[in-house]
Amino acid sequence: MYRFLLSRQWVILTLIALVLIPVMVELGFWQLHRHEHRVAQNQRVTEALAADPVPAEKLTSPGHEVPKTDLYRRVSAKGTYDAKHEVVVRRRTNSDDEVGFHVLTPFVLDDGKVLLVNRGWIPADGPQTAFPKIPAPPKGEVTVTGRMMADETSAASGIKDVRGLPDRQIMLISSGQQADALGKQVLGGYVELTSPEAVGGSPQLIGGPDHSGIGPHMAYAVQWWLFAAGVPVGWVVLVRRERRDRAAAAAAPAPEATPAPV
């Protein structure tokens, strides 16, 4: 009755089904792990943004690589801006997807070390080869507050670190590169400024990270598991259909032989 399952066609079909089931189950768990990672990341960012600011030098130091656990931590620092040596980061967009620059200004602390402060976004209102007009930072000693960020890399950002750019223009924010350019001790990572707020034509402050969405990973996980459950169901349906078709073909009367012409 089911001897057709031993045919080459059905053996191959059955093997494919047996392979697909665990593969789809594993893909479902992969999406589940991505969902759990996203939820944990959102929770970490939420806690970092809600925490009271701590002195920047408690989280970073010259040559320090900012770990993921310290990303978006609120930090504060007291010092003076060094506008003479500020640079702009090319091809950055604001919340309206307008292309412009980020303004990166060295912030000299009381002990002489430098903290890189991303003061925000300005529009590209001139040729790319010209240094843009930048609103001046506050003069004298000030206290700044912002989000701790890690040095940017091409691998993480997808931005190529182009060389030979016009003077005082960069593609990626790197405390190591800025330390070489300034000849000073520069704290690892940088700070996205959140306070004081932008006033009087100051650069637009960079918006906080999106930490509310969880993405479609859980839906994808359920989808893969449904596919895995559907494989054996589909296999059974095909087997029954094949058996029914074969039984119908066997029960059909044999066609009458046509007499040979005389």
Side-chain angles (χ1 to χ4, degrees), residues 2-14 242 246:
Y2 290 100
R3 290 183 60 83
F4 64 86
L5 293 175
L6 298 178
S7 66
R8 176 184 177 86
Q9 175 185 353
W10 275 96
V11 168
I12 293 175
L13 183 62
T14 302
E242 181 76 8
R246 287 174 177 267

Side-chain angles (χ1 to χ4, degrees), residues 138-186:
K139 295 182 179 180
E141 188 173 68
V142 294
T143 298
V144 298
T145 303
R147 297 180 292 265
M148 193 76 232
M149 304 297 294
D151 287 331
E152 297 177 338
T153 64
S154 295
S157 66
I159 301 173
K160 185 178 180 180
D161 192 11
V162 179
R163 303 294 180 175
L165 295 175
D167 188 39
R168 297 172 65 188
Q169 295 190 27
I170 60 176
M171 295 298 299
L172 296 170
I173 301 177
S174 168
S175 59
Q177 290 181 6
Q178 293 305 306
D180 292 339
L182 294 170
K184 295 182 179 181
Q185 288 187 305
V186 177

Side-chain angles (χ1 to χ4, degrees), residues 81-187:
Y81 280 112
D82 179 11
K84 182 180 178 181
H85 294 101
E86 67 186 353
V87 297
V88 292
V89 192
R90 292 165 57 98
R91 300 177 187 173
R92 299 303 167 105
T93 58
N94 63 0
S95 57
D96 296 323
D97 289 331
E98 297 173 316
V99 179
F101 301 93
H102 280 177
V103 179
L104 188 69
T105 311
F107 190 74
V108 184
L109 307 179
D110 294 338
D111 59 5
K113 295 185 180 69
V114 173
L115 174 68
L116 298 178
V117 176
N118 187 339
R119 295 202 289 130
W121 180 90
I122 59 172
D125 55 0
Q128 289 286 318
T129 55
F131 191 75
K133 184 178 180 180
I134 302 175
K139 295 182 179 180
E141 188 173 68
V142 294
T143 298
V144 298
T145 303
R147 297 180 292 265
M148 193 76 232
M149 304 297 294
D151 287 331
E152 297 177 338
T153 64
S154 295
S157 66
I159 301 173
K160 185 178 180 180
D161 192 11
V162 179
R163 303 294 180 175
L165 295 175
D167 188 39
R168 297 172 65 188
Q169 295 190 27
I170 60 176
M171 295 298 299
L172 296 170
I173 301 177
S174 168
S175 59
Q177 290 181 6
Q178 293 305 306
D180 292 339
L182 294 170
K184 295 182 179 181
Q185 288 187 305
V186 177
L187 304 183

Side-chain angles (χ1 to χ4, degrees), residues 20-33 217 220-221 224-225:
L20 284 177
I21 292 172
V23 168
M24 290 179 176
V25 170
E26 183 62 28
L27 286 171
F29 279 111
W30 173 61
Q31 290 291 348
L32 176 62
H33 295 329
H217 304 300
Y220 289 160
W224 279 118
W225 291 332

